[in-house]
Amino acid sequence: MTGRVIRGHGKTFIVLSQGREYACEVLAKVKQQVSKRTPVAVGDVVDFVFEGEGPGGIEGVHPRSSKFSRPKVGVGSDAYEQILVSNVDQMVIVTSVAHPRFKQHLLDRLIVAAYKGGLQAAVVINKVDLKHKVDLEHVKEIYGSISVPVITSSASDGTGIGELRTILREKESIFVGHSGVGKSSLLNQVQPGLKLKTGEISDSTGKGRHTTTTIELHPLAEGGFVVDTPGLKVLGLWDITQEELQHYFPEFAPYVDECKFNSCSHTHEPECAVQQALEEGNIFQERYQSYVRLYQALG
Ligand code: GDP
Ligand code: ZN
């Protein structure tokens, strides 16, 4: 049989196949094939056998069309890429205007992570009911220029929820962002009854309290799935080289071949077409600064 892994509990994976859920474990031969990599991830399409009362056995994993991973887990030769979820279409990056404060660099970092994993990106700026100083029009202009939709929302007063529903419809989306920005609250607004846990913000740190770290595909009534990532710590980048980083800044694309040096890093070289474009106002300052910061962090 073939099905989709919709959640995992320790060694057991729940596979949805033709409307029924099957508890399955991963057969040894699958584990051997992939050694240290994640053998089975939530979102995978798998072939499995199921007899009598189960548990069933996962025999094979279909190739993944996209993936969202955590930086390598473990140290040295024990390090491996942990896939959190596979085969989803888009990453919905949730931030807030305040509590916690807006962090554009994090946004840019997650957009890179989305592109690296083969996902589209969308941005939600939540808590617009709160007093803040974020220039929302400017943020929309920046991301509009790279075709990343920006939705401003409030889970408290309902602003933007209709728009959010629209971008989620018929797609599979993973919600990421700092804890406390309102991911679970927004999803509960999109579809009451999803029953996602929401956390309290502790006043001392402004950081949300962790509730759970279970990754699960939740079906939406209007079609599609959403994946919440409660309690997931802010994600680093993995497996990206300094040289490839430029490819995840689509606004650099028209310029990178025009630089004097083939190996131009666009950070300090003379006759760099990217820096030229920046000076002429064709690339946004904030985005360029994020690029340089990420470039240095990857060094
Ligand atoms: P998550 O960690 O990203 O899932 O965040 P939660 O959904 O648990 O929300 C964290 C806290 O922020 C909770 O106390 C929510 O009630 C609150 N919150 C969520 N959305 C909004 C909003 O739009 N406006 C305001 N003022 N508070 C919100
Ligand atoms: Zn350059």
Side-chain angles (χ1 to χ4, degrees), residues 193-245:
L194 266 181
K195 294 206 182 68
L196 299 171
K197 291 178 189 148
T198 56
E200 297 296 311
I201 293 203
S202 73
D203 289 333
S204 54
T205 64
K207 287 186 180 147
R209 183 150 48 80
H210 291 170
T211 44
T212 154
T213 52
T214 325
I215 304 270
E216 181 170 353
L217 293 185
H218 300 276
L220 290 174
E222 299 187 37
F225 282 95
V226 289
V227 185
D228 190 16
T229 56
L232 197 67
K233 292 264 173 72
V234 174
L235 298 143
L237 295 176
W238 66 97
D239 204 21
I240 291 179
T241 62
Q242 281 185 319
E243 291 69 36
E244 78 179 295
L245 183 64

Side-chain angles (χ1 to χ4, degrees), residues 73-150:
V73 177
V75 281
S77 60
D78 284 337
Y80 69 97
E81 171 194 17
Q82 185 185 13
I83 300 172
L84 295 167
V85 62
S86 69
N87 302 322
V88 292
D89 305 305
Q90 70 181 351
M91 182 188 290
V92 177
I93 302 166
V94 185
T95 60
S96 51
V97 290
H99 302 286
R101 71 178 173 80
F102 181 68
K103 296 179 195 74
Q104 187 174 343
H105 181 68
L106 177 69
L107 243 170
D108 291 329
R109 197 159 66 144
L110 286 169
I111 290 174
V112 169
Y115 291 165
K116 168 76 184 179
L119 301 166
Q120 296 165 5
V123 169
V124 177
I125 306 178
N126 191 37
K127 306 200 185 184
V128 292
D129 57 291
L130 297 177
K131 216 175 128 219
H132 68 88
K133 291 196 178 125
V134 183
D135 185 346
L136 295 172
E137 287 313 309
H138 185 55
V139 175
K140 283 185 178 173
E141 194 190 350
I142 292 175
Y143 294 99
S145 75
I146 55 165
S147 303
V148 171
V150 176

